[in-house]
Amino acid sequence: MSEKPELVQRVEFIKKACAGKRVLHLGCTDYPFTERSIEHKMLLHFELAEIAGELYGFDFDQKGIDILEKHGVKNLYRADLEKLEEVPLDEKFDVIVAGEMIEHLSNPGLFLKGIQRFMHDETDLLITTINAYGALRFAIYALRGKGGINEPVHPDHVSYYSYSTLSLVIKRANLEIKEFCFYDIGPEHRQHMPWHYKLVNDIAMKISHQLADGVIAVCRLGKNGGTPE
């Protein structure tokens, strides 16, 4: 793993890793924003479908799955990411994309252990999540936090992760980190952001990459072949 994580664009990083590969996409519907994401051409699952050799999707929200199926999407499974042993699928994948979902889980260790049944020795598990030290969120919270009660956080998020905390929870599940990166605010979000938010973010990126919007860990099975310690 690199000693100095680089700064990347999240979507482009994921697409490059998935090109021509057999891919499993977790949280693929982006529900309840599925229709809006499709309308604005921002749904990652559709982008992956154009470049992956083969694509499967897991999501817990049946309404989101129904929407994607109406758009002709195949290989979709309703899955509780903390109970992956219940998914009626016996396949392994080259790349597993866990994008912006670990921060929604009450028991991330259950997910990280359960996902290993879909991994072989060369599988890359891509975990992306918001950065606990993201400068833009600090600035918004400082200016608009109303004494601490108006936090700029998704209503379904239960945790924040950093380089250290994400690395530790991955290690405890007997996974190894192959690569770690920070990701900047992508063009898909920049077009909808006020200019002063972008200015704060860009100044922070000039100062330090570890103040970026999010983090990415690329993981593989550990030395015990996926059997948690």
Side-chain angles (χ1 to χ4, degrees):
M1 183 175 65
S2 173
E3 290 297 325
K4 293 183 179 180
E6 63 176 321
L7 183 69
V8 301
Q9 292 292 335
R10 184 180 71 92
V11 173
E12 291 306 312
F13 185 92
I14 292 172
K15 289 169 66 175
K16 183 178 179 180
C18 292
K21 301 293 182 63
R22 197 160 193 262
V23 178
L24 172 60
H25 183 200
L26 309 178
C28 61
T29 74
D30 195 28
Y31 190 82
F33 308 113
T34 313
E35 293 283 16
R36 187 180 73 181
S37 296
I38 293 173
E39 179 182 353
H40 292 285
K41 298 182 179 180
M42 291 175 57
L43 191 68
L44 179 60
H45 198 72
F46 281 9
E47 295 188 59
L48 295 181
E50 295 179 357
I51 59 171
E54 189 174 5
L55 181 63
Y56 284 67
F58 286 0
D59 206 293
F60 189 65
D61 292 292
Q62 187 60 49
K63 290 182 179 179
I65 291 174
D66 292 342
I67 292 169
L68 291 192
E69 289 182 337
K70 288 179 181 178
H71 282 81
V73 179
K74 307 295 184 182
N75 299 327
L76 298 175
Y77 290 81
R78 188 170 188 267
D80 183 336
L81 296 182
E82 296 176 0
K83 299 178 181 178
L84 286 169
E85 70 280 359
E86 298 178 357
V87 180
L89 179 68
D90 187 19
E91 302 284 350
K92 295 188 184 296
F93 298 89
D94 302 319
V95 180
I96 300 175
V97 179
E100 312 302 281
M101 41 70 56
I102 196 169
E103 68 272 16
H104 293 256
L105 301 180
S106 298
N107 296 285
L110 293 179
F111 157 67
L112 291 170
K113 292 175 182 178
I115 197 62
Q116 295 178 39
R117 62 176 285 221
F118 301 105
M119 298 174 67
H120 55 67
D121 289 344
E122 300 299 316
T123 300
D124 284 335
L125 170 62
L126 275 61
I127 300 173
T128 80
T129 185
I130 59 173
N131 180 13
Y133 298 105
L136 180 57
R137 290 185 186 84
F138 272 88
I140 295 172
Y141 193 33
L143 296 173
R144 298 174 54 192
K146 294 184 178 179
I149 63 173
N150 187 24
E151 187 176 345
V153 62
H154 188 291
D156 194 44
H157 288 185
V158 296
S159 59
Y160 287 103
Y161 289 93
S162 66
Y163 175 91
S164 294
T165 60
L166 184 58
S167 297
L168 180 58
V169 75
I170 288 169
K171 180 180 179 181
R172 286 182 173 179
N174 195 42
L175 292 165
E176 297 179 352
I177 296 179
K178 172 184 172 185
E179 183 178 4
F180 199 102
C181 303
F182 293 103
Y183 69 77
D184 196 9
I185 295 170
E188 71 278 8
H189 295 298
R190 279 182 173 270
Q191 60 182 319
H192 303 295
M193 294 177 65
W195 68 268
H196 49 283
Y197 283 7
K198 289 182 281 190
L199 179 62
V200 169
N201 173 80
D202 293 347
I203 291 174
M205 292 306 91
K206 295 290 186 180
I207 298 171
S208 177
H209 290 172
Q210 61 255 37
L211 300 177
D213 192 47
V215 296
I216 301 175
V218 182
C219 315
R220 287 197 171 178
L221 292 175
K223 60 184 179 180
N224 294 329
T227 302
E229 293 177 341

